[in-house]
Amino acid sequence: TYPRKNYFLKSTVNTFANSQTTATYAITGYVLSVLVVDSVTKEQVLTDVTFDNITALVNNSVTITVASAPTNALLVIITSIAVS
């Protein structure tokens, strides 16, 4: 038989400062979704999202890029699933 693996869902909230135009966040596990929200208005913000090494269980990263620095800080919510 195969060893049983435990999977867990993880959601992290990162702050993208209003002085930035790009930021990279390290993730452990498979990335399920990335949501970027204005911290003041709570509206979803359109950004470029780039994934590095997305099929690996470790050493993944997500890079967020905007055309110009935002007026307000942004919240980057990354949901992933990992194996323990």
Side-chain angles (χ1 to χ4, degrees), residues 6-28:
N6 294 319
Y7 297 91
F8 62 94
L9 192 63
K10 182 178 179 182
S11 186
T12 58
V13 179
N14 304 285
T15 301
F16 186 101
N18 59 353
S19 60
Q20 294 178 276
T21 57
T22 188
T24 301
Y25 305 100
I27 301 297
T28 299

Side-chain angles (χ1 to χ4, degrees), residues 16 21-27 34 36 47-52 60-66 76 78:
F16 186 101
T21 57
T22 188
T24 301
Y25 305 100
I27 301 297
V34 177
V36 182
T47 63
D48 288 333
V49 179
T50 306
F51 302 97
D52 180 43
N60 290 329
S61 65
V62 175
T63 301
I64 305 295
T65 305
V66 295
V76 180
I78 302 171

